[in-house]
Amino acid sequence: MTDRPRGGLVALCAAQIVSWGLLYYSLPVAVAPISAETGWSHTVITAALSAGLVVSAVAGIRVGRLLDGHGPRAVMTTGSVLGVGAMLLVAWSPNLLMFFTAWLVAGLAQSAVLYPSAFAVITRWYGPRRVGPLTTLTLVGGLASTVFAPFVAYLIDQFGWRMSYLVIAGILAVVTVPLHALFLNGRWTDTVGASPHENPSAEIRAVTRSRQFITLQVTMAVATFTLFAVTINIIPMFLERGMSYGMAALALGLIGVGQVVGRIGYPQFARATSARARTVVIFAAGAVGLWALALLPGPGWLLITVAVLAGSVRGCHTLLQATAVSDRWGTKHFGTINGIFTAPMTFVGAFAPVAGPAVASLLGGYPMMAAVMAALLTGAAILTSRT
């Protein structure tokens, strides 16, 4: 456990909600206005965000090593500066190529400032007492869309999308850059990292090439993909079930409430279970929820209840991801190992929103898509229980 700067957790939480709200959620809000002005399709615009997330997944491995070796201040401050530059590029983009380039730069910024990096910092700060602060961080970060989606929509309505992205860049500059520069460690002062007599690379490889690590990495990626693909597409799924658009939209909002509830309950759940047991339980609960969404024809209140429960599983899954490495292999070289561990999850998360509709189109409906995702998550639960 390393020395914590005064106000560090509050600063990190504030930086997370702003970074998530503007570097991630701003584009889904802006898709329609950008398309209307430029003529670019919604799919192509959304693909820019997905491309950035792929960059984030790849860059996150290197970011983890930098966090271990040099501390978070320079890494996360640089990420914030890159985020400012990316949003300025988005505002200026004269063509689709520059627009994509801007979101690729945003992906680099995301790799340095979003959850994986913040998880590494909190794990180093709090050591064995990390679950509570991690819960706080994800609860605050989970409010990003609630706070910033309507804010970004208001900006676009008042000033247009290009001027709005200039404002977004300004907010990132005056909020996240100083928070990271002033409230994070310049260098680590503890001895969690490697000593001169150790071989860090060999120790890291011993973990990341182990059968347990690879199995957990694959099953966590499957859980990320399946839960996200179904819950993010809950509106068209419920429309197919005969629900009104208003009720379906309400269900999507309540999934967010479910995530918050899941995160609040996670610390007590973690204290009562082993790392393996809680992983199996969360995966199994998610699979049951997806099977129910696939097979239940109604009534509407029951479908919404199941959707909220699926949301709570997603909330637990976020904290499961944050603690999976440290629970099994400790906090030594955490940034590096966790960067490798989370890369596939970030990668599949980039494609899950579009994979859902694609699979539904191929199989003839969203319930069948949910059934496929449920089968995959069931397999992940079984594999985890045997590892």
Side-chain angles (χ1 to χ4, degrees):
M1 186 167 64
T2 198
D3 295 335
R4 299 191 301 273
R6 185 186 298 271
L9 180 59
V10 173
L12 202 55
C13 287
Q16 283 297 293
I17 190 171
V18 175
S19 297
W20 274 104
L22 300 181
L23 288 176
Y24 184 89
Y25 289 110
S26 67
L27 187 55
V29 176
V31 166
I34 293 173
S35 178
E37 180 180 314
T38 62
W40 306 333
S41 73
H42 288 209
T43 302
V44 168
I45 295 169
T46 304
L49 178 61
S50 295
L53 290 172
V54 172
V55 170
S56 177
V58 175
I61 298 173
R62 177 60 179 167
V63 166
R65 295 193 183 102
L66 291 172
L67 286 169
D68 275 344
H70 302 286
R73 182 187 299 161
V75 175
M76 298 187 76
T77 302
T78 300
S80 294
V81 173
L82 282 174
V84 173
M87 297 301 96
L88 290 174
L89 281 177
V90 171
W92 174 73
S93 297
N95 52 52
L96 193 56
L97 177 61
M98 187 57 66
F99 186 79
F100 261 76
T101 301
W103 284 101
L104 295 180
V105 176
L108 290 174
Q110 291 164 358
S111 71
V113 302
L114 296 185
Y115 276 159
S117 295
F119 291 162
V121 174
I122 287 182
T123 299
R124 293 291 293 264
W125 279 351
Y126 290 91
R129 297 187 289 110
R130 59 189 173 270
V131 175
L134 286 169
T135 301
T136 300
L137 182 83
T138 56
L139 286 173
V140 174
L143 296 172
S145 61
T146 304
V147 173
F148 283 98
F151 174 71
V152 171
Y154 171 79
L155 286 178
I156 293 173
D157 185 56
Q158 295 297 313
F159 307 110
W161 70 271
R162 291 187 186 274
M163 182 59 69
S164 295
Y165 271 100
L166 290 177
V167 174
I168 286 169
I171 294 172
L172 288 169
V174 301
V175 177
T176 64
V177 173
L179 286 175
H180 289 141
L182 298 176
F183 290 94
L184 299 179
N185 307 69
R187 293 191 68 85
W188 299 122
T189 58
D190 62 0
T191 56
V192 173
S195 76
H197 305 291
E198 295 173 332
N199 185 343
S201 296
E203 293 177 349
I204 292 166
R205 284 196 300 270
V207 172
T208 59
R209 296 182 182 181
S210 67
R211 180 172 177 268
Q212 183 188 15
F213 181 90
I214 294 170
T215 300
L216 184 65
Q217 188 181 43
V218 170
T219 55
M220 285 289 288
V222 169
T224 300
F225 180 77
T226 54
L227 289 168
F228 194 25
V230 174
T231 56
I232 200 69
N233 291 293
I234 207 73
I235 290 179
M237 176 182 293
F238 282 0
L239 291 177
E240 285 192 5
R241 294 296 197 196
M243 195 177 294
S244 70
Y245 179 80
M247 288 297 293
L250 175 63
L252 181 61
L254 290 176
I255 286 174
V257 175
Q259 290 186 73
V260 171
V261 172
R263 289 170 185 175
I264 291 173
Y266 184 85
Q268 184 174 354
F269 177 53
R271 286 191 293 270
T273 55
S274 66
R276 178 182 175 184
R278 62 178 162 271
T279 303
V280 173
V281 169
I282 290 171
F283 285 5
V288 169
L290 298 189
W291 279 118
L293 290 171
L295 300 175
L296 288 174
W301 66 265
L302 181 58
L303 291 173
I304 291 176
T305 300
V306 172
V308 172
L309 293 175
S312 69
V313 172
R314 271 190 62 186
C316 288
H317 180 268
T318 301
L319 285 165
L320 186 69
Q321 175 184 328
T323 57
V325 168
S326 55
D327 284 346
R328 291 166 175 81
W329 296 283
T331 58
K332 194 173 186 179
H333 312 304
F334 178 81
T336 302
I337 295 171
N338 198 58
I340 296 169
F341 179 72
T342 59
M345 284 157 251
T346 305
F347 184 83
V348 300
F351 296 101
V354 294
V359 174
S361 176
L362 183 66
L363 298 180
Y366 282 89
M368 284 301 299
M369 180 273 288
V372 169
M373 300 301 169
L376 289 173
L377 189 50
T378 301
I382 293 171
L383 183 58
T384 302
S385 69
R386 296 179 176 178
T387 303

